[in-house]
Amino acid sequence: MYKLLNVFLNICLLRAGPQDVPAASVVMVLAVGAYAGISLLVALTSYTLVQAVLWSVLDTLLLAAIAQLGLRWRGHTPR
């Protein structure tokens, strides 16, 4: 777990790229869950609980759609 967090920290510091993250569906689910959770916490500062949940779900889905479109456009669909 420490190694995975270290990889994400290095990506934030521009020392590593996304290709350095292990290709496992568990890692993707954890990363998307963490993103959605943080998005929910940020939305809770401005919205009610129901609105914040809807906002974070919409935010996460929009990010996934834009990432998928970008990967298809660049020809990296297996990622």
Side-chain angles (χ1 to χ4, degrees), residues 62-78:
L62 187 60
L63 177 69
I66 290 171
Q68 184 66 28
L69 284 173
L71 288 171
R72 284 181 189 239
W73 179 59
R74 298 290 290 168
H76 297 292
T77 51

Side-chain angles (χ1 to χ4, degrees), residues 1-2 15-17 19 22 24-25 27 39 41-45 47-48 53-54 58 65 67 71 75-78:
M1 187 67 162
Y2 173 75
R15 294 180 188 160
Q19 66 273 9
S25 59
V27 174
S39 177
L41 290 175
V42 170
L44 279 172
T45 62
Y47 301 109
T48 65
V53 168
L54 291 174
L58 179 65
L71 288 171
H76 297 292
T77 51

Side-chain angles (χ1 to χ4, degrees), residues 8-41:
F8 282 117
L9 177 65
N10 285 333
I11 289 173
C12 291
L13 296 173
L14 300 177
R15 294 180 188 160
Q19 66 273 9
D20 296 324
V21 177
S25 59
V26 174
V27 174
M28 183 185 69
V29 169
L30 287 174
V32 170
Y35 180 84
I38 292 170
S39 177
L40 177 65
L41 290 175

